[in-house]
Amino acid sequence: NGMIQSRSELIRSVMSRDQEYKKMDVRKMDVRLFGNTAVVNLEADVSLIMTGKPLDLDMDILLVWIKRKGSWRLVARQSVKNS
């Protein structure tokens, strides 16, 4: 739907249950490391409740992680629904 969420908006949405993830079945995962950065591509079937409505989606997901002070932190994510 083109929705953009900041980190705080995502956390607020999940904590308020406006966006409630029920299940994520990962079909394919590719992880590439570049020093202290990891780029992860996923293909997944995702089931969630979005503002009270159930959704079952076939999605491509991109995650970017950075390792800081020995811990991995998610710094960016993008997901698109496959038709």
Side-chain angles (χ1 to χ4, degrees), residues 21-61:
Y21 288 86
K22 295 295 190 181
K23 181 174 74 167
M24 179 182 287
D25 292 325
V26 177
R27 294 187 313 274
K28 183 178 177 183
M29 181 182 340
D30 179 47
V31 179
R32 292 169 288 150
L33 292 173
F34 305 95
N36 66 339
T37 303
V39 177
V40 182
N41 294 95
L42 303 169
E43 291 178 11
D45 295 313
V46 179
S47 295
L48 68 144
I49 307 292
M50 181 75 98
T51 59
K53 297 175 186 164
L55 291 172
D56 293 310
L57 304 170
D58 172 12
M59 301 189 79
D60 287 337
I61 303 164

Side-chain angles (χ1 to χ4, degrees), residues 3-14:
M3 178 175 58
I4 297 173
Q5 288 179 308
S6 68
R7 177 184 171 151
S8 60
E9 289 169 333
L10 173 62
I11 291 169
R12 187 172 32 255
S13 181
V14 170

